[in-house]
Structures are given as C-alpha cells and as structure tokens.
Amino acid sequence: MELFKLEQLTFQYPVNDMPSLKDIDLTIHEGEFVLLCGSSGCGKTTLLKQMKREITPAGSLRGTITYRGIPLPEIAKEASAREIGFVFQNPDNQIVMGDVYSELAFGMENLRFSSAEMKRKIAELCSFFGMEGFLDKEILQLSGGQKQVLNLASVLLLQPRVLLLDEPTSQLDPVAAKEFLLFLKRLNEEFGMTVLLSEHRFDDVYPLCSRVLFLQNGSVRIDAEPKQVARQLSAEKTDFIPAQAFLSQRLREHVDSEAEICLTVRENQRLLERNLDRLPPWEPSVQNAEKTREPLLAVKRLFLKYTLEGAYVLKDLSLTLEQGKCTCLLGANGSGKSTLLKAIAGILKPQAGKIKWMRGQRSVTYLPQNPLLFFSFEHAEEELRSVGAEEEKIERLVSRLELTHCMQKHPHDLSGGEQQRLMIACGLLREASLLLMDEPAKGLDQRMKARLGSLLQEYQQNGGTVLLVTHDVDFAASYADNCCLLFNGSTVSEKGTADFFAGNYFYTTNINRMVRRRYPAMLTRKEVDSLWQKN
C-alpha cells in the first residue's frame, strides 16, 4: 500500500539562495525500512520534516505530498500525532516536560489514554530500553544519550504507523545503538511499522533496511535496494559505503575477482577464510607504539554528584592526559563522560578528588554536546570573528570545514552538521592548551569526519592536547592516541588505541570484527588499504 507520495517536491528556506530539495519524486510503501544517507546538508533532515506536518519548516514549497492518498495538510491532527512519529536529531528540541516519567506520559495524556494503559505501556517500553535507572530523574540530570533514548521511547509509546528518525543513534553508545536498530527491525517485520531513518553511522543499518535513498544536493541520486546501492557507490570509491561493502570491494579488487559485495560481518569473514592463503602479511605501524609523553593534566580520585541526595555520577575516577595527544572517552550512556568533561572545564565542582595541571598551562576550550548552547551572535561570521583569531586562520578553517555559504546565516538556521562544524571551527581558533569536545563527530558525514580528524592532528602537532567523548568507534580508532572506557562513573580501561579496541565485542570497529582472525590489530579502512600498498 502507498503510504507517502511526493511529486515534484521542491523546497527552499527563506535564508537560502538555492533550494534544499529539488524536484523530488518519491513513493514510500507501507512496511518498508528505508535508509536516507548522503553528505551533511544534502537535505535529509529537510526531507523527513516535510513528511510531518506539525514541524514542516517555513519556506517556499512547490509540489505535493500525500499520506495514504490524502494531502498532508488535510490529515486530522490526532491521526497525524498518532500515526506519524518523528525523532529529532537534537534531543533537546523535542523534550517538553521537566522529568522523565512526565515526558513519557505527555503524548499519551494529550491523546486521552487511560491511566492504567499509560502505566502498562511505560512499564513495557522502559524495561526494553533499560530506563528504570533514570525513570524518576529530572531531565537536566540526563546525559545526551539518555535524552535520545527518552525521545525514542516517547514516540514509540504512541505506536505510530510510520516512524521518521533523524540520526537517532548519534548519541547512543555502540551497544544501545545496535539494540535499538534491531528493535526497529523487529517493529518493521513483526508489526509492519514503516521506518524512514537518516544516519551517518550506517554500517549497521545497511543489512537491516530494504531500501536506500542516497541524496546529493537536495535530489535523490540513487534509489535502490541496499546491495545495489553499495555496489554502485563502491565502484565510485566514495566514502558513503558501509565498512562491510568497503572490505569486500577491496578483496574483490586485489584478491578474489569473483567476490560479491557483502553487507554483513559474517559474509566478509567467510570471504576472508576462502582467500586466507592469498592475503598478504601486515603489522601495525610504528605510530601505534609511540612512547608516552609528559603529562599535561591528572585527574585523581574524583567524586561528583549533581544533588546532595543523588548518587555519585563520578566515583573514584582517575585519568592522566598526555601533552600533545588525543584521548578518547568511550562508555555507555550515563557512565559519566560528559560530566567528566564539565568537571575538567570547571563548569561542575567535584565533591572530592583533584584535577591537577602538571605543566601550569590552564587554557581550556569546552565544546558541548549541543552546539546551540555555544552560540551567542546573530551570524556565523560573528561567532568566528569573536574569537579574535587572525583573518588568515579563519578563512582557512572556513574553507576546510566548508562553511563559506554559512557566514551570513544565523547559527540556528544551519543544519545540524553545519552547526557542529561552526562550533568546532570556533574551538580550534581559540588554540587553548586543552580542547574538550563532547561528541564532535555527531552530524558529520564520513568525508567531514576525516577532515575533522586531520584538523585535530594538526592541533596536536602545534602543541595542543585533545580530550573527546564519542560513541563513534570508527572515528576514535582512526584519530585517538589513547582510549579510556568509563563504566559506572569510573575508568575501567585506559590503553593505547590499538590495544584498547583489539578483542572487544562491541567497543571495536566493524573492520576489526571482520578481519581479527587474520589481522587482530587492524581497525580502520586506511589500514585495510595499507595491505596492498606495502605488498
């Protein structure tokens, strides 16, 4: 059955010179699981918002959108609220109540659910998402990932017919992200729920979806089943292919010309085993074994909680940051990663423990999880110039982060990825001795993540030290020198990147899962390519 039908849809924001969507003809059928992918700013979020009447952005719209044969503006409000669920890219844009339970109940109360029915639904979904531990908390006490889980649960409680999700796993830890995607697949297969999902971390989505839409400059360039899209993008050697397809394409080019493009870890493992005797030897680069440098800052036995009666968020936590290195904090949502950054930045005061600077350099720049908390001016250009950096440095960063077209726009009018890049540019321009970044790769496509990684390496070469929080294990594996795992408010593992990821089940890359039997220390696509460069 036809669910959504878009005909010659063109949309342009009032502040833009060019349309964000161009002549889109698209039909979404009931029961499909559709992945939207493409570069940052290509129109994914705008396209999703066109399908939810209540949040359609202001601007010039041409063309038509129908939902189950009815023009979208004519759908009854209650039907739209019940049947079309939307999960925002930024969780703070969706939350309206002050505590978790009230937020979960809000939508159902407005649709006149009975008290007993609300309690039953909340109990069922909270058990699945593991929300019992923060069900009675205030919203301000939640981590970004916990807010994202809360938004997902709030929407699903209404049992929508179609679910529109804008990068729903961007703030979820690897375990929670995999569980959520599998849950979406179950809803799709067992209940027939239609899913449209926009993602930059799409490795785990390709094997689950039934269709992929690849957007470029506001138009749908490719619309096909996942393997066909992966095959076409692999042949074009773009960055927008999952790790599984990347590895099988490389094996096809160098080892086995008969190999098919693979979309799962298991398929690639079988392909590797079939060609085991034809694979060249490989050893990690010397860079992974670089000597320890002088410490810049030491965190010693830190204890911190938000309220007098509340539990400790950080418990006996110790961590050492080395001068000129990039340290990455990983861990489950709510494990204390963002809280640690705020404590080091001086935003939060710990109840016990010390944060000691070892070299007397106390300049710190803190980039929060939500870029909107960072901005203070009317135009992106003013944000950059307020730092007081040299004009040449500003122009260089604007060019490398592709922000030229954003300079005269209000930061709030930018896409999520553009806001992220603008905040990163401001942070890098400040040239502090310590740069604290909370989820810097969120909202960035693969190409822009590589650009960010290169800029961070240059920052370190100029004497800067970086401490970042991320759930993107591929980004951490590619650019971090050291990785630290937080669990229940404490550090449980602090190692060099290669040692940290090798052998893990969840906190490792898909490349490592596929090749670990032959190359236990291999983590990244770059290392896969180095196999044939050396031999």
Side-chain angles (χ1 to χ4, degrees):
M1 176 182 173
E2 184 181 282
L3 197 63
F4 281 106
K5 188 175 182 64
L6 289 67
E7 295 182 291
Q8 289 296 296
L9 191 75
T10 298
F11 177 80
Q12 184 171 334
Y13 287 99
V15 295
N16 286 5
D17 297 327
M18 299 291 291
S20 297
L21 300 174
K22 305 172 188 175
D23 299 323
I24 290 182
D25 289 304
L26 181 65
T27 301
I28 305 296
H29 297 282
E30 192 149 20
E32 286 192 301
F33 192 133
V34 183
L35 167 65
L36 302 179
C37 59
S39 61
S40 300
C42 69
K44 301 184 298 297
T45 299
T46 303
L47 179 58
L48 286 176
K49 286 184 176 181
Q50 296 299 328
M51 301 182 195
K52 179 71 172 172
R53 185 185 63 186
E54 293 82 356
I55 58 171
T56 299
S60 173
L61 178 67
R62 298 195 306 274
T64 61
I65 309 176
T66 60
Y67 172 71
R68 301 178 64 196
I70 304 172
L72 200 63
E74 298 177 13
I75 300 171
K77 291 182 179 180
E78 184 169 333
S80 178
R82 278 181 179 270
E83 296 186 19
I84 306 175
F86 195 101
V87 177
F88 284 77
Q89 187 177 35
N90 183 350
D92 290 320
N93 291 346
Q94 192 159 355
I95 295 173
V96 294
M97 303 300 287
D99 64 88
V100 174
Y101 191 91
S102 298
E103 180 66 25
L104 290 170
F106 178 78
M108 293 186 289
E109 288 175 336
N110 280 275
L111 292 173
R112 303 180 299 280
F113 282 59
S114 69
S115 178
E117 190 176 9
M118 284 193 292
K119 289 180 180 179
R120 176 177 57 80
K121 286 180 176 292
I122 289 174
E124 179 185 36
L125 216 59
C126 283
S127 296
F128 172 79
F129 281 114
M131 296 174 63
E132 297 94 334
F134 60 93
L135 192 59
D136 297 321
K137 282 189 176 183
E138 300 291 320
I139 298 298
L140 292 174
Q141 295 177 307
L142 301 185
S143 69
Q146 288 172 325
K147 290 178 183 177
Q148 190 71 297
V149 170
L150 172 60
N151 285 342
L152 299 172
S154 300
V155 171
L156 289 174
L157 282 167
L158 302 181
Q159 295 182 336
R161 191 164 189 157
V162 57
L163 194 56
L164 310 173
L165 306 107
D166 192 5
E167 296 196 45
T169 69
S170 62
Q171 298 190 56
L172 300 183
D173 63 76
V175 178
K178 286 181 179 293
E179 288 179 348
F180 176 70
L181 290 173
L182 290 173
F183 181 59
L184 288 182
K185 185 62 176 175
R186 285 183 58 192
L187 289 174
N188 174 253
E189 290 184 341
E190 298 176 21
F191 299 97
M193 185 181 293
T194 306
V195 178
L196 276 80
L197 172 71
S198 165
E199 264 295 347
H200 286 304
R201 291 165 58 186
F202 45 65
D203 285 7
D204 295 323
V205 186
Y206 258 82
L208 303 178
C209 65
S210 57
R211 182 177 171 194
V212 176
L213 301 177
F214 182 77
L215 273 65
Q216 188 172 45
N217 298 325
S219 299
V220 178
R221 186 166 79 83
I222 306 175
D223 178 1
E225 55 91 20
K227 188 159 287 191
Q228 183 179 338
V229 176
R231 190 180 296 112
Q232 181 173 338
L233 294 177
S234 295
E236 297 174 6
K237 297 188 183 299
T238 72
D239 297 316
F240 298 100
I241 56 173
Q244 303 92 304
F246 168 84
L247 179 62
S248 56
Q249 176 66 18
R250 291 299 183 268
L251 292 172
R252 179 186 174 92
E253 292 172 357
H254 299 284
V255 177
D256 186 351
S257 61
E258 301 298 320
E260 286 290 322
I261 294 295
C262 302
L263 294 182
T264 68
V265 170
R266 183 174 57 186
E267 288 174 343
N268 271 293
Q269 287 176 340
R270 289 174 177 172
L271 181 57
L272 282 164
E273 289 172 3
R274 195 172 76 202
N275 295 283
L276 209 55
D277 58 340
R278 302 166 67 183
L279 294 173
W282 180 84
E283 291 295 333
S285 64
V286 179
Q287 185 179 358
N288 290 338
E290 187 179 348
K291 293 182 179 179
T292 302
R293 298 184 185 179
E294 292 184 25
L296 173 75
L297 177 142
V299 178
K300 297 183 178 179
R301 306 203 64 184
L302 211 65
F303 288 83
L304 190 151
K305 58 182 177 181
Y306 286 96
T307 62
L308 189 64
E309 301 81 11
Y312 280 103
V313 180
L314 302 180
K315 309 171 188 176
D316 201 16
L317 186 148
S318 297
L319 176 69
T320 299
L321 302 182
E322 298 177 35
Q323 173 76 35
K325 285 196 172 184
C326 176
T327 300
C328 182
L329 297 176
L330 298 103
N333 298 120
S335 60
K337 303 182 297 298
S338 297
T339 301
L340 176 57
L341 288 192
K342 292 177 183 177
I344 295 174
I347 298 171
L348 297 176
K349 184 178 180 180
Q351 281 73 35
K354 293 182 179 180
I355 300 173
K356 183 178 180 181
W357 289 83
M358 312 299 286
R359 296 171 61 86
Q361 302 178 32
R362 297 176 180 270
S363 58
V364 179
T365 293
Y366 168 69
L367 304 184
Q369 204 170 72
N370 182 358
L372 297 181
L373 300 176
F374 186 87
F375 302 131
S376 306
F377 294 90
E378 294 293 320
H379 298 94
E381 186 177 23
E382 293 179 89
E383 293 287 349
L384 293 166
R385 298 194 188 285
S386 69
V387 177
E390 297 175 5
E391 188 68 27
E392 183 181 345
K393 291 181 179 179
I394 294 176
E395 291 179 358
R396 176 174 167 272
L397 268 179
V398 166
S399 175
R400 293 187 66 179
L401 290 172
E402 299 180 7
L403 292 168
T404 305
H405 66 288
C406 304
M407 289 298 94
Q408 299 307 314
K409 295 180 182 179
H410 194 290
H412 289 218
D413 290 331
L414 305 180
S415 71
E418 289 167 344
Q419 290 172 351
Q420 193 76 8
R421 279 144 47 199
L422 177 61
M423 180 179 67
I424 289 167
C426 293
L428 292 171
L429 286 170
R430 293 185 180 186
E431 298 182 341
S433 56
L434 177 59
L435 178 60
L436 305 173
M437 312 177 81
D438 199 348
E439 295 285 357
K442 173 172 57 69
L444 303 185
D445 58 56
Q446 301 299 319
R447 183 175 55 85
M448 201 51 65
K449 286 177 188 177
R451 196 78 56 87
L452 169 61
S454 176
L455 288 170
L456 291 181
Q457 289 173 339
E458 291 177 17
Y459 191 83
Q460 294 166 239
Q461 290 167 4
N462 293 325
T465 303
V466 180
L467 176 64
L468 64 87
V469 168
T470 188
H471 292 306
D472 192 326
V473 293
D474 291 286
F475 184 81
S478 297
Y479 301 106
D481 298 298
N482 300 314
C483 289
C484 179
L485 181 66
L486 266 63
F487 174 73
N488 197 28
S490 300
T491 52
V492 295
S493 177
E494 186 179 351
K495 296 180 179 180
T497 300
D499 292 335
F500 176 88
F501 285 113
N504 288 347
Y505 278 111
F506 297 104
Y507 285 92
T508 191
T509 65
N510 274 326
I511 292 291
N512 184 255
R513 291 190 187 95
M514 291 182 284
V515 305
R516 63 173 49 177
R517 294 173 186 171
R518 172 69 174 179
Y519 308 112
M522 185 177 286
L523 299 172
T524 67
R525 302 184 188 207
K526 185 177 179 180
E527 289 172 337
V528 170
D529 280 334
S530 72
L531 267 176
W532 293 281
Q533 293 169 1
K534 292 180 179 180
N535 296 276

